[in-house]
């Protein structure tokens, strides 16, 4: 039996592998010249492993119901926001809008509320979307392996679960109520997903909750572990910086643009084959620049509210109090759409983002060619 990652994480301060020691050196403060050299190495490795391509995907928010309280998230159960869970037909309508824009890779996102978003609902959503999308991933509350198996069988390809912070004390402080308080159950999620058959596994840390270099080392150790133990899966990593959201939480620690560039380069140099994801949380010019250095996958034209693309679900928007649905009394200026998870920064349309990528010599990839090629090879 391999040592579980939780044991590696808990002893990381005392013992690191050689790879993680090299990574630690890469994220230490650097001169401009040193950072430029890192960026050149990173660019060359990205080109070598991924070519001049950028996978484009869209998040599709299914529900903003949640039973957890996470201090940094607008969907927290105690926030009196407008909520909705889309029906499968409404999900399909949102997805068809995305398909018309060119997307074939989609990420289904939901808060954690088993009454509204459970295995059967997710299975139905994935099955309904499978004919139109070459890659469907989910980013929802952690589940057991048996539940994941059903979603994989319906056509689910990827599982994304960010640990948020790898610092247990900060994690306990940030997650004040709900099942998400179970740090270890979340930490094991990627392995349960792998056991269930997901072909893509995404992990990440939310930057702004603790010192970024500490998070980076833990995240890198997690990546090293998954590359060893889930080696048949494609692994992706994301390092979203906290954005303003309902509830008014402000990041406790900062990561400057320069440090973000260094972090991305260090990940690429240490893990040449890892997919690095960048969302619309970041500003357009920075995303464009990072696209040439190490990022391999981007969201585009995103909405973080359920129904945000086409207005689906408007008629049954409500507030939820202790699991009970309450008719909304709109406050002045409040829209009738459900509330989004956070504000986005890059508001360009998918077509504009694709054009910006081409201007930089990168080919936007809307469809999962890997899977198509694999199918061809198997037939
Ligand atoms: S981060 Fe996830 S679990 Fe926490 S409140 Fe937001 S949606 Fe719920």
């Amino acid at each position: 039996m391999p040592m579980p990652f939780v044991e590696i994480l808990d002893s990381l301060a005392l013992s690191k592998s050689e790879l993680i020691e090299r990574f630690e050196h890469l994220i230490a403060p650097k001169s401009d010249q040193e950072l430029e050299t890192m960026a050149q190495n990173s660019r060359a490795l990205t080109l070598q492993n991924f070519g001049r391509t950028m996978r484009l995907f869209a998040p599709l928010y299914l529900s903003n119901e949640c039973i957890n309280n996470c201090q940094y998230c607008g969907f927290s159960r105690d926030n009196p926001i407008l909520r909705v869970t889309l029906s499968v037909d409404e999900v399909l309508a949102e997805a068809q809008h995305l398909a018309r824009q060119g997307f074939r890779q989609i990420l289904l996102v939901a808060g954690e509320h088993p009454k509204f978003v459970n295995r059967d609902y997710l299975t139905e959503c994935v099955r309904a979307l499978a004919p139109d999308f070459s890659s469907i991933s989910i980013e929802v509350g952690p589940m057991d392996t048996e539940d994941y198996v059903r979603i994989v069988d319906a056509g689910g390809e990827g599982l994304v679960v960010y640990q948020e912070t790898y610092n247990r004390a900060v994690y306990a402080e940030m997650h004040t109520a709900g099942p998400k308080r179970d740090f270890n159950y979340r930490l094991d999620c990627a392995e349960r997903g792998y056991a269930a058959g997901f072909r893509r596994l995404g992990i990440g840390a939310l930057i702004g909750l603790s010192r970024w270099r500490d998070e980076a080392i833990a995240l890198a150790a997690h990546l090293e572990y998954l590359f060893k133990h889930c080696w048949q899966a494609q692994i992706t990593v994301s390092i979203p910086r906290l954005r303003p959201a309902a509830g008014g939480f402000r990041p406790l620690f900062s990561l400057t643009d320069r440090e973000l560039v260094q972090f991305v380069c260090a990940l690429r140099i240490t893990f040449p084959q890892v997919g690095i994801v960048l969302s619309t949380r970041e500003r357009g010019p920075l995303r464009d620049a990072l696209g040439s250095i190490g990022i391999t996958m981007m969201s585009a034209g995103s909405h973080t509210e359920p129904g945000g693309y086409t207005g689906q679900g408007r008629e049954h928007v409500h507030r939820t109090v202790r699991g009970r649905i309450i008719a909304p009394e709109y406050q002045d200026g409040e829209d009738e759409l459900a509330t989004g998870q956070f504000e986005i920064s890059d508001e360009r349309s998918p077509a504009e983002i694709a054009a910006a990528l081409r201007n930089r010599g990168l080919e936007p990839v809307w469809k999962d060619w890997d899977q198509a090629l694999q199918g061809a090879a198997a037939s």
Side-chain angles (χ1 to χ4, degrees):
M1 275 285 282
M3 181 191 273
F5 178 63
V6 62
E7 286 181 26
I8 294 174
L9 179 66
D10 288 344
S11 58
L12 206 50
L14 302 172
S15 121
K16 295 185 189 77
S17 71
E18 280 180 25
L19 187 80
I20 300 307
E21 279 181 359
R22 286 202 296 276
F23 177 81
E24 190 172 16
H25 178 70
L26 286 169
I27 59 168
K30 296 276 180 274
S31 68
D32 288 350
Q33 182 55 46
E34 287 169 324
L35 184 56
E36 179 54 34
T37 306
M38 278 179 72
Q40 282 170 12
N41 290 344
S42 178
R43 188 178 285 121
L45 284 167
T46 306
L47 194 60
Q48 198 178 318
N49 287 279
F50 295 88
R52 292 185 186 282
T53 61
M54 180 69 66
R55 290 183 71 203
L56 290 180
F57 74 99
L60 196 170
Y61 277 70
L62 307 175
S63 170
N64 59 356
E65 301 282 359
C66 198
I67 43 171
N68 294 307
N69 266 337
C70 306
Q71 290 201 32
Y72 48 83
C73 179
F75 290 175
S76 285
R77 74 181 190 199
D78 287 350
N79 282 341
I81 61 167
L82 295 174
R83 300 186 190 260
V84 75
T85 301
L86 301 182
S87 69
V88 176
D89 284 345
E90 289 166 345
V91 171
L92 206 48
E94 289 271 287
Q96 281 162 355
H97 169 84
L98 293 170
R100 281 194 294 277
Q101 291 185 309
F103 289 107
R104 293 294 177 272
Q105 307 178 105
I106 199 166
L107 174 67
L108 305 182
V109 187
E112 182 170 358
H113 203 313
K115 179 173 166 185
F116 301 99
V117 176
N118 48 37
R119 177 192 68 189
D120 293 343
Y121 168 77
L122 289 166
T123 304
E124 270 190 69
C125 289
V126 169
R127 191 170 290 123
L129 301 183
D132 293 327
F133 291 87
S134 62
S135 176
I136 304 173
S137 296
I138 58 167
E139 184 177 350
V140 301
M143 299 167 105
D144 293 338
T145 305
E146 307 83 80
D147 297 325
Y148 287 146
V149 167
R150 296 278 289 273
I151 296 167
V152 169
D153 287 348
E157 197 202 17
L159 176 68
V160 175
V161 183
Y162 301 158
Q163 189 63 24
E164 322 292 20
T165 172
Y166 286 88
N167 179 316
R168 281 180 187 277
V170 175
Y171 189 95
E173 214 177 296
M174 289 297 133
H175 304 103
T176 54
K180 191 168 176 178
R181 286 180 60 73
D182 189 339
F183 181 95
N184 289 357
Y185 186 65
R186 192 170 188 87
L187 197 63
D188 288 344
C189 230
E191 287 155 84
R192 289 197 302 279
Y194 183 65
F198 280 111
R199 287 185 53 239
R200 294 182 200 268
L201 301 173
I203 62 168
L206 197 48
I207 303 301
L209 299 179
S210 110
R211 289 190 319 185
W212 77 266
R213 288 191 171 89
D214 296 340
E215 292 293 1
I217 290 168
L219 184 61
H222 200 180
L223 283 175
E224 182 184 30
Y225 184 88
L226 293 179
F227 271 111
K228 262 190 210 143
H229 298 286
C230 305
W231 55 274
Q232 286 183 306
Q234 290 178 18
I235 314 282
T236 61
V237 64
S238 182
I239 43 175
R241 293 192 282 191
L242 268 167
R243 293 284 301 146
F249 183 83
R250 292 279 165 246
L252 308 171
F253 294 85
S254 70
L255 172 76
T256 64
D257 287 357
R258 187 182 190 279
E259 289 167 337
L260 178 62
V261 171
Q262 184 180 356
F263 194 171
V264 168
C265 293
L267 284 169
R268 170 61 60 232
I269 293 167
T270 310
F271 304 99
Q273 289 169 348
V274 75
I276 307 181
V277 184
L278 194 66
S279 80
T280 50
R281 288 170 184 258
E282 300 295 346
R283 288 172 297 110
L286 181 64
R287 292 202 334 142
D288 292 348
L290 280 167
S292 313
I293 293 177
I295 300 300
T296 57
M297 196 170 167
M298 276 184 183
S299 51
S302 306
H303 279 268
T304 70
E305 65 276 23
Y309 295 109
T310 62
Q312 296 296 316
R314 259 175 201 275
E315 313 73 44
H316 49 113
V317 162
H318 55 262
R319 299 192 199 278
T320 307
V321 180
R322 291 190 204 89
R324 278 187 312 117
I325 287 176
I326 312 277
E329 290 159 22
Y330 292 112
Q331 289 160 11
D332 280 353
E334 208 170 21
D335 198 351
E336 287 174 30
L337 267 185
T339 308
Q341 191 176 26
F342 54 84
E343 293 173 15
I344 64 167
S345 291
D346 185 350
E347 296 191 340
R348 292 173 296 177
S349 71
E352 286 169 331
I353 288 173
L357 289 169
R358 284 198 194 91
N359 280 343
R360 289 187 159 256
L362 291 169
E363 188 53 34
V365 176
W366 302 86
K367 188 172 161 55
D368 180 14
W369 295 106
D370 286 353
Q371 202 176 35
L373 288 174
Q374 200 179 53
S379 62

